[in-house]
Amino acid sequence: MENAEKVIYYRDELNDEFAGDHIKAKKIDKHYRYVREGFFDTLLHAFWYRIIATPLAFCYMKLHFGHRIIGKEKLKEAGRDGYFFYGNHTHNLADALVPTLTAVPKDACVIVHANNVSMPVLGRITPYLGAIPLPDDAEAGKHFLAALQHHIDKRRCVMIYPEAHIWPYYTDIRPFTDKSFRYPVNAGKPVYCLTNTYQKRKHRKTPGLVTYLDGPFYPDGSLPKKEQQKKLRDQVYGTMKERAKENTVCLITYIRESGQEDEGHHI
């Protein structure tokens, strides 16, 4: 793997954030409108998602990253059913676009931080692009869970980044909990994982981006729900760890502040 030019020091793999967007997030409470399925909402979704966002996403990812998706045929096993996607969180913009390109012809919804719906102008558009912000209180939580079920019932893809925080160009998979895996367990729907890897390209400073798809993994109904969550988490985590070995370029080295370089991120 090629040498990194930049070093970032971190303390906590689970909670450190390096997105650098500095957006003041609004509170997502019981008044937030999670489901937007009215006539005009449907028109706005079709316009922003299909006419504007999808073509722009394809062009940007191809021109900037030479983006490739490997394993898309595996999605056929889900048939017309809705499903859950889990992926590594390594790029502000690409992580918002990859689910759309991967799930097509299905619509993709993405569970996001409230920052993504709090921007002055774009924050009004992102809900029509599939952004589902995490709730800030119990009442909003009920609406959030109902929205997930609604989208799955509509045979859509729900994208989750279980690492929760963006670490730009990170080339391994950070530890994550099994908490978010309760969604597919409760819905009884299949799980896929996508692993974005960065590849060296000749005569280009910007790396290539290759997305590997794996799955489906199904909740094991013979186990208690908590054990089903853990099993799905372990299957996804183990698969993504293996796929992360496909990275061939390292732009940023992440080092614990104790001074010990993080294994898998040094040359």
Side-chain angles (χ1 to χ4, degrees):
M1 194 180 293
E2 189 169 308
N3 289 333
E5 298 178 358
K6 182 178 179 180
V7 174
I8 289 179
Y9 293 90
Y10 71 92
R11 294 181 179 179
D12 184 347
E13 282 182 302
L14 291 176
N15 297 301
D16 283 358
E17 170 71 67
F18 300 109
D21 46 24
H22 306 298
I23 298 169
K24 184 178 180 180
K26 67 181 182 181
K27 184 177 181 180
I28 306 299
D29 58 19
K30 64 180 180 180
H31 301 293
Y32 184 82
R33 192 159 61 103
Y34 272 104
V35 176
R36 306 180 185 217
E37 298 285 353
F39 176 74
F40 289 107
D41 291 324
T42 301
L43 288 180
L44 286 170
H45 170 73
F47 174 75
W48 287 114
Y49 190 96
R50 291 295 178 192
I51 298 175
I52 302 298
T54 302
L56 287 179
F58 178 82
C59 292
Y60 171 79
M61 293 299 293
K62 276 294 183 184
L63 294 174
H64 190 70
F65 287 113
H67 183 230
R68 291 187 295 131
I69 300 172
I70 296 177
K72 190 170 172 62
E73 71 280 356
K74 297 172 185 176
L75 299 179
K76 292 179 180 178
E77 188 167 331
R80 299 182 64 193
D81 223 356
Y83 56 83
F84 291 84
F85 246 143
Y86 290 79
N88 52 330
H89 213 4
T90 63
H91 195 277
N92 294 56
L93 185 53
D95 289 354
L97 304 180
V98 167
T100 299
L101 301 176
T102 304
V104 70
K106 292 183 184 294
D107 284 359
C109 305
V110 185
I111 296 178
V112 300
H113 188 275
N115 287 358
N116 293 271
V117 297
S118 302
M119 295 167 280
V121 177
L122 190 57
R124 295 178 178 272
I125 298 173
T126 51
Y128 296 103
L129 299 177
I132 308 175
L134 289 165
D136 286 320
D137 59 36
E139 283 298 312
K142 295 177 184 177
H143 299 315
F144 170 80
L145 293 176
L148 295 188
Q149 189 62 52
H150 170 81
H151 290 304
I152 285 296
D153 289 344
K154 289 286 186 176
R155 299 170 177 172
R156 294 167 181 156
C157 159
V158 174
M159 179 73 212
I160 300 167
Y161 289 101
E163 294 171 327
H165 304 282
I166 296 176
W167 285 26
Y169 298 104
Y170 195 66
T171 57
D172 199 359
I173 308 300
R174 286 167 279 144
F176 51 80
T177 71
D178 63 10
K179 185 177 179 180
S180 66
F181 289 86
R182 72 184 188 274
Y183 307 139
V185 168
N186 289 337
K189 298 299 182 182
V191 166
Y192 289 89
C193 61
L194 65 83
T195 311
N196 289 320
T197 65
Y198 296 99
Q199 309 294 323
K200 179 177 172 55
R201 291 195 289 176
K202 291 183 179 180
H203 314 301
R204 294 290 298 271
K205 186 175 182 180
T206 304
L209 195 152
V210 177
T211 300
Y212 290 91
L213 305 186
D214 290 288
F217 308 102
Y218 292 91
D220 186 346
S222 68
L223 299 174
K225 284 191 173 182
K226 188 61 180 176
E227 292 181 29
Q228 291 183 53
Q229 288 178 217
K230 183 180 184 304
K231 183 176 180 180
L232 281 175
R233 180 267 176 202
D234 291 347
Q235 288 175 310
V236 167
Y237 183 74
T239 301
M240 293 173 68
K241 287 284 285 187
E242 284 299 311
R243 287 298 191 189
K245 295 175 182 178
E246 301 293 334
N247 283 282
T248 62
V249 63
C250 178
L251 299 185
I252 301 174
T253 298
Y254 289 80
I255 301 177
R256 296 182 190 275
E257 286 199 345
S258 63
Q260 182 178 0
E261 195 168 343
D262 201 20
E263 184 178 353
H265 307 285
H266 58 86
I267 307 306

